[in-house]
Coordinates of all heavy atoms in Angstrom, one line a residue:
T32 N -26.1 -26.9 -10.7 CA -25.1 -27.4 -11.7 C -24.1 -26.3 -12.1 O -24.5 -25.2 -12.0 CB -25.8 -27.9 -13.0 OG1 -26.5 -26.7 -13.6 CG2 -26.9 -29.0 -12.8
L33 N -22.9 -26.7 -12.5 CA -22.0 -25.8 -13.0 C -21.4 -26.3 -14.3 O -21.2 -25.5 -15.2 CB -20.8 -25.6 -12.0 CG -21.0 -24.6 -10.9 CD1 -19.8 -24.5 -10.0 CD2 -21.3 -23.2 -11.4
C34 N -21.2 -27.6 -14.4 CA -20.5 -28.1 -15.7 C -21.5 -28.7 -16.6 O -21.2 -29.3 -17.6 CB -19.4 -29.1 -15.3 SG -20.1 -30.7 -14.7
Y35 N -22.8 -28.5 -16.3 CA -23.9 -29.1 -17.2 C -24.4 -28.1 -18.2 O -24.6 -26.9 -17.8 CB -25.0 -29.7 -16.3 CG -26.1 -30.2 -17.2 CD1 -26.0 -31.5 -17.8 CD2 -27.3 -29.5 -17.4 CE1 -27.0 -32.0 -18.6 CE2 -28.3 -30.0 -18.3 CZ -28.1 -31.2 -18.9 OH -29.1 -31.7 -19.7
G43 N -19.8 -34.6 -15.7 CA -19.7 -34.9 -14.3 C -18.4 -34.4 -13.6 O -17.8 -35.1 -12.8
A44 N -18.0 -33.2 -14.0 CA -16.8 -32.6 -13.5 C -16.9 -31.9 -12.2 O -16.1 -32.0 -11.3 CB -16.1 -31.7 -14.5
C45 N -17.9 -31.0 -12.0 CA -18.0 -30.1 -10.9 C -18.5 -30.8 -9.6 O -18.2 -30.4 -8.5 CB -18.8 -28.9 -11.2 SG -20.6 -29.2 -11.3
R46 N -19.3 -31.8 -9.8 CA -19.9 -32.6 -8.7 C -20.8 -31.7 -7.7 O -21.1 -32.1 -6.6 CB -18.8 -33.3 -7.9 CG -18.1 -34.3 -8.7 CD -17.1 -35.1 -8.0 NE -17.7 -36.1 -7.0 CZ -18.3 -37.2 -7.3 NH1 -18.3 -37.6 -8.6 NH2 -18.8 -38.0 -6.4
C48 N -23.9 -31.3 -8.5 CA -25.2 -31.8 -8.7 C -25.4 -33.1 -8.0 O -26.3 -33.9 -8.3 CB -25.5 -31.9 -10.2 SG -24.5 -33.2 -10.9
T62 N -23.4 -38.2 -9.4 CA -23.7 -36.9 -10.0 C -25.0 -37.1 -10.8 O -25.1 -38.0 -11.7 CB -22.5 -36.5 -11.0 OG1 -22.2 -37.6 -11.8 CG2 -21.4 -36.0 -10.2
C64 N -26.3 -35.3 -13.1 CA -26.3 -35.0 -14.5 C -25.8 -36.1 -15.4 O -26.0 -36.1 -16.6 CB -25.4 -33.7 -14.8 SG -23.7 -34.0 -14.5
Ligands
FES302 S1 -23.4 -30.4 -13.1 FE1 -23.2 -32.5 -12.7 S2 -21.2 -32.8 -12.2 FE2 -21.3 -30.7 -12.8

Side-chain angles (χ1 to χ4, degrees):
T32 60
L33 277 177
C34 73
Y35 177 77
C45 71
R46 298 186 67 79
C48 69
T62 48
C64 67

